[in-house]
Amino acid sequence: MTEYLAVDGGTIAYEVTGSGPLIVLAHGMGDSRAAYRAVIPPLVAAGHRVAAVDLRGCGESGADWPEWSRTAIAGDLLALIRHLGGPAVLIGHSVSGGAATVAAAREPSLITSVVELAPFTRKQSVRLGDLRVRRFRRGMLRLLGAGLFGSLPLWRSYLDLAYPGVRPADWPERLGRIESLLREPGRMKAMQGMGRSAPTDAGAQLGNVRCPVLVVMGTLDPDWADPHAEGSAVVEALPSGLGRLEMIEGAGHYPHDQFPDQVVSLVLAFLRSDAARA
């Protein structure tokens, strides 16, 4: 059941399932909490209370917001965790990976650990050699086109690259839902705003994180010429010993939707090891 939380600037939609230690799931741009539909049941079965949130401008959340930065998104996530009675494990995908970093650095008492799925958490740069990687070159052009022109066909063509090989059983329905939401007033504007927001604010906070962080990357993610190098750079920017990188073979930019069982296994193992350290 959808619930709503009023925060500064608008209204955030979310749903809560299960009972136990709190996990908050935050999706990437141009998406909704439905991105985690295959992840929620096994996390609940493992004994967690799981809150899946629609980011500002996305899903059933309000569409009109003054800011789209990772810092702004982090503020929404922290407000939700306070409302639900944290602390929480915060799982963020893509733009929300960076937001999770900001949230953990800003209010360490509310975040016990962070999982970043294919995160945009650092300042991005493109080297000439990167453009020789066809997957990356094609993905970058489609992403830039979708953001610049607000083009739904270009976004869909990007998703074709972002889901290489394995796709969810409900793929046609998944695409239909994404397209339907992006046709709603203000939704494409929200995606464009997030796309224009640089991850420098998140990168500046990596050294201030105090909780364990798991970074999960797909080996075929078209958003980077070398996904392993990007994930390693995020881990290396964290305080020593806090970060861990896991790669999922054959996954693109949506490992939690292509390989939900593997992602859940990695998350639960990470949380068990985190508890053991504590």
Side-chain angles (χ1 to χ4, degrees):
M1 182 179 70
T2 303
E3 299 182 65
Y4 298 91
L5 177 67
V7 299
D8 187 24
T11 302
I12 295 296
Y14 66 97
E15 62 178 315
V16 181
T17 311
S19 60
L22 179 62
I23 295 178
V24 172
L25 306 174
H27 60 80
M29 72 178 196
D31 212 337
S32 72
R33 65 184 191 266
Y36 288 106
R37 66 204 179 284
V39 168
I40 294 171
L43 289 178
V44 169
H48 291 277
R49 178 169 56 126
V50 180
V53 59
D54 287 330
L55 299 190
R56 53 174 56 200
C58 303
E60 297 178 80
S61 291
D64 187 20
W65 297 78
E67 188 182 352
W68 305 104
S69 69
R70 286 154 182 78
T71 298
I73 294 169
D76 298 339
L77 298 175
L78 288 168
L80 178 62
I81 292 168
R82 283 193 295 269
H83 174 70
L84 294 176
V89 174
L90 184 51
I91 300 180
H93 170 237
S94 198
V95 65
S96 289
T101 294
V102 176
R106 280 178 51 183
E107 295 201 35
S109 64
L110 285 181
I111 312 295
T112 57
S113 55
V114 167
V115 179
E116 302 194 15
L117 306 170
F120 275 97
T121 308
R122 302 186 321 123
K123 180 181 179 180
Q124 301 294 296
S125 60
V126 179
R127 300 170 299 178
L128 186 60
D130 294 341
L131 298 176
R132 298 192 184 99
V133 181
R134 184 170 181 265
R135 179 193 74 251
F136 170 70
R137 186 174 67 249
R138 294 171 70 202
M140 182 180 67
L141 289 174
R142 295 179 193 190
L143 266 180
L144 289 174
L148 181 62
F149 301 111
S151 168
L152 194 52
L154 281 174
W155 181 245
R156 179 166 182 162
S157 70
Y158 162 74
L159 290 176
D160 285 338
L161 290 175
Y163 281 79
V166 175
R167 288 176 177 174
D170 62 348
W171 180 240
E173 293 81 5
R174 167 91 165 118
L175 277 181
R177 175 63 173 158
I178 290 171
E179 293 183 0
S180 176
L181 285 171
L182 287 175
R183 288 192 182 99
E184 293 180 1
R187 304 299 184 196
M188 182 60 78
K189 177 186 173 183
M191 188 179 85
Q192 291 175 286
M194 288 181 193
R196 287 193 294 267
S197 174
T200 48
D201 56 347
Q205 293 285 7
L206 279 167
N208 297 323
V209 174
R210 294 294 176 262
C211 65
V213 178
L214 171 65
V215 178
V216 179
M217 304 290 287
T219 60
L220 298 182
D221 193 328
D223 286 31
W224 294 279
D226 187 342
H228 186 276
E230 179 65 24
S232 296
V234 172
V235 170
E236 289 165 7
L238 291 162
S240 179
L242 284 187
R244 178 195 309 177
L245 172 63
E246 295 285 354
M247 303 296 300
I248 296 185
E249 186 65 36
H253 194 59
Y254 295 78
H256 51 299
D257 204 11
Q258 284 186 281
F259 300 97
D261 292 344
Q262 286 183 241
V263 168
V264 168
S265 293
L266 289 172
V267 168
L268 293 178
F270 168 66
L271 296 182
R272 285 192 297 269
S273 66
D274 180 21
R277 285 195 299 269

